[in-house]
Amino acid sequence: MSEHEFDVLVIGAGPGGYVAAIRAAQLGLRTACVERTPTLGGTCLNVGCIPSKALLHTSEEYAHAKTKLARHGVKVSGVELDLDAMMAHKDKVVGALTKGVAGLLENNDVTHLQGHARLTGPGTVAIEGPEPRTVTAGAVVIATGSVSAPLPGVDVDEERIVTSTGALALPEVPARMAVIGAGYIGLEMGSVWSRLGAKVTVIEFLDRVLPGMDSEVATQLHRLLRRQKIAFKLGSKVTGAERTNEGVRLSMEPVAGGDSTTLDVDVVLVAVGRRPNTEGLGLDDLGIALDGQGRIEVNERFETSVPGVYAIGDVIAGPMLAHKAEEEGIAVAEIIAGGSGHVNHATIPGVVYTAPEVATVGQTEEALDDAGVEYTVGRFPFAANGRARAMSVTDGFVKVLADAETDRVLGVHIVGHDAGTLIAEAVTIMEFGGSAEDIARTCHAHPSLNEAVKEAALAVAGRAIHV
Ligand code: NAI
């Protein structure tokens, strides 16, 4: 590869891109990473996973201080929200982490190029930015992520009608907020602003929340969020949004047919999904094939239809999740270096950071039913877990799905406190092809929330101890 300036050029410095670049450099490849925005870390660090978790955590602490602590015998008075300070904390976290990525690239001898990259040939990339230049590389990795999907008739201005980016930086708590889409973003950001005092209404096209996730878990979360005073209009289609003096008037109608209604709110969050960010990359000119959903087509080695050009993360098929992109970043670097990188897409966890959290890995009951797979279900409620009782986090349950014949774990679905941490055990077991009995016979610390996972695994064979 020595005739090229770099062995590898990664386009995009999100969790997929910067991880791919670091791994490639670790493997001895001369690596550059080009990013169009001044800060590194992509959507996840700048306007996604990280700032949303800062707001989710702080708003939950606020809600606890107002309601929960007193029940535990801790009296607090004069609890007040300082939204500016809350936002400043979020910005500080984002600033530290994005600078941290710059430091990681530097420490690993990855050349950081700033500007918009466009492929002009298989190993040639033109970079428009502060210092325009053309770079050649033996391998190019496209890791440009995704952008918010638009909703016809609802034009985003990032003030009154916002995407997740605007919803992370509202200057004040809106009295009334509409959230269009009951997916990851809608439920997380709806929770934040609801806890801070907004009257939140979630409008969802389908007749359920969190489509694609296990429906029992989704139904339970829906119930718990309604208890938190979040209103839902399921099976509803937003047909338009009109700016009024006070805010926005949304028009909607039932998907099943019926009269159109309106909803007056101060702020609307559009969270109807994301789409691959492939524009302006020169893909057409190079003949890089896309699939029917606008994603870059790759083979199992992350190679596009053009030799030497690879793609990972949100621009290719699979869940649009930062950790999925990271795994693909590692794998593609190892493949380019002549190794055998691999990602097990069957064991990618998904976590929704509501309160309680939802965490899931593997197959849902619906998917197993559709595939005609015989399976056994073990369930365990957090209400029967001692640690959960001590912490007053008794909502939810763990569900383990195991192959009826072999007992191999096929899926684990959790709604409950810290489910996003608890799911790691299930992911590990599934990665090793383990059985429900493997979990059940593994010693779990007492008292811990993890015991609920063990008890659900015991329940697969009808031998849970504490229910
Ligand atoms: P999503 O795909 O999770 O949910 C979109 C929701 O909008 C779906 O329920 C869909 O049925 C609904 N919808 C679509 N069109 C609609 C319409 N016209 N009217 C009403 N509802 C409509 O997408 P979301 O929440 O925008 O998130 C985008 C991506 O970001 C997801 O793929 C997710 O993986 C990722 N993400 C992950 C997070 C995490 O890991 N905790 C947090 C936030 C985002």
Side-chain angles (χ1 to χ4, degrees):
M1 295 189 198
S2 55
E3 73 271 24
H4 301 292
E5 202 174 337
F6 295 101
D7 296 325
V8 184
L9 176 77
V10 181
I11 305 177
Y18 83 73
V19 168
I22 290 174
R23 185 69 190 123
Q26 283 177 348
L27 291 164
L29 300 173
R30 291 168 303 136
T31 307
C33 184
V34 53
E35 168 60 50
R36 66 180 172 184
T37 65
T39 58
L40 303 176
T43 299
C44 176
L45 263 65
N46 288 280
V47 286
C49 330
I50 297 299
S52 63
K53 265 75 257 177
L55 297 187
L56 278 157
H57 177 75
T58 315
S59 61
E60 200 177 346
E61 298 271 77
Y62 174 62
H64 282 176
K66 283 207 304 186
T67 55
K68 194 168 166 183
L69 284 181
R71 278 189 273 132
H72 285 234
V74 180
K75 289 187 183 172
V76 282
S77 54
V79 177
E80 275 179 57
L81 174 68
D82 181 343
L83 188 63
D84 290 343
M86 187 174 164
M87 292 295 173
H89 163 70
K90 174 206 70 173
D91 294 339
K92 196 170 151 201
V93 171
V94 168
L97 289 175
T98 53
K99 281 193 200 81
V101 174
L104 290 173
L105 292 186
E106 201 180 322
N107 294 345
N108 284 281
D109 288 331
V110 174
T111 303
H112 169 204
L113 303 171
Q114 198 195 324
H116 179 96
R118 190 168 46 84
L119 283 145
T120 50
T124 316
V125 174
I127 299 171
E128 293 152 25
E131 293 169 39
R133 58 187 288 196
T134 295
V135 178
T136 61
V140 175
V141 179
I142 302 171
T144 46
S146 58
V147 291
S148 298
L151 183 59
V154 185
D155 296 330
V156 167
D157 59 16
E158 292 297 7
E159 280 180 14
R160 290 283 179 186
I161 303 181
V162 298
T163 64
S164 49
T165 301
L168 288 165
L170 296 180
E172 59 190 39
V173 180
R176 305 155 303 170
M177 181 175 192
V179 172
I180 309 178
Y184 282 79
I185 293 177
L187 298 187
E188 289 186 3
M189 293 315 299
S191 293
V192 166
W193 293 106
S194 165
R195 288 172 198 158
L196 299 183
K199 180 174 171 10
V200 172
T201 305
V202 179
I203 305 157
E204 165 61 46
F205 187 84
L206 300 173
D207 58 4
R208 56 165 290 177
V209 305
L210 296 178
M213 288 214 176
D214 183 272
S215 71
E216 190 181 0
V217 158
T219 303
Q220 176 77 345
L221 182 72
H222 182 206
R223 193 176 301 137
L224 294 170
L225 292 178
R226 275 182 301 173
R227 210 168 71 190
Q228 293 169 26
K229 307 276 185 274
I230 296 180
F232 285 86
K233 288 184 186 296
L234 302 183
S236 296
K237 184 166 69 175
V238 172
T239 51
E242 181 198 334
R243 287 291 300 264
T244 60
N245 287 341
E246 299 79 36
V248 183
R249 173 165 295 175
L250 284 181
S251 310
M252 66 192 92
E253 58 190 40
V255 173
D259 292 340
S260 161
T261 53
T262 59
L263 179 70
D264 287 303
V265 292
D266 303 289
V267 170
V268 177
L269 164 61
V270 181
V272 295
R274 296 180 64 83
R275 65 176 189 199
N277 181 25
T278 53
E279 269 170 39
L281 287 171
L283 303 186
D284 265 3
D285 294 344
L286 217 61
I288 293 180
L290 304 183
D291 68 14
Q293 294 178 52
R295 304 172 297 198
I296 298 175
E297 267 179 7
V298 292
N299 61 18
E300 70 288 346
R301 291 169 52 80
F302 304 102
E303 290 167 313
T304 67
S305 53
V306 172
V309 181
Y310 300 77
I312 58 165
D314 286 8
V315 281
I316 66 169
M320 289 181 166
L321 297 171
H323 45 275
K324 176 255 194 191
E326 285 184 45
E327 294 306 323
E328 292 178 346
I330 300 277
V332 78
E334 294 180 346
I335 288 167
I336 292 168
S340 51
H342 173 70
V343 178
N344 181 1
H345 286 103
T347 56
I348 293 170
V351 181
V352 188
Y353 292 87
T354 44
E357 293 176 358
V358 167
T360 170
V361 61
Q363 311 239 45
T364 61
E365 283 202 62
E366 296 77 22
L368 292 172
D369 289 339
D370 287 350
V373 176
E374 296 285 325
Y375 60 93
T376 318
V377 185
R379 286 188 190 78
F380 190 80
F382 283 101
N385 173 278
R387 184 83 196 283
R389 287 216 163 245
M391 296 168 70
S392 294
V393 288
T394 50
D395 288 326
F397 58 86
V398 179
K399 177 161 84 172
V400 173
L401 307 176
D403 188 290
E405 202 182 322
T406 65
D407 196 40
R408 186 182 178 129
V409 178
L410 301 174
V412 176
H413 307 279
I414 307 174
V415 53
H417 183 76
D418 216 8
T421 305
L422 301 181
I423 201 72
E425 172 181 9
V427 177
T428 307
I429 276 286
M430 287 181 65
E431 188 61 38
F432 282 85
S435 64
E437 184 163 0
D438 286 327
I439 303 178
R441 291 199 183 273
T442 300
C443 186
H444 288 61
H446 176 76
S448 68
L449 297 177
N450 307 62
E451 287 173 291
V453 178
K454 173 182 172 150
E455 289 273 2
L458 279 165
V460 166
R463 54 197 179 97
I465 301 293
H466 293 93
V467 274

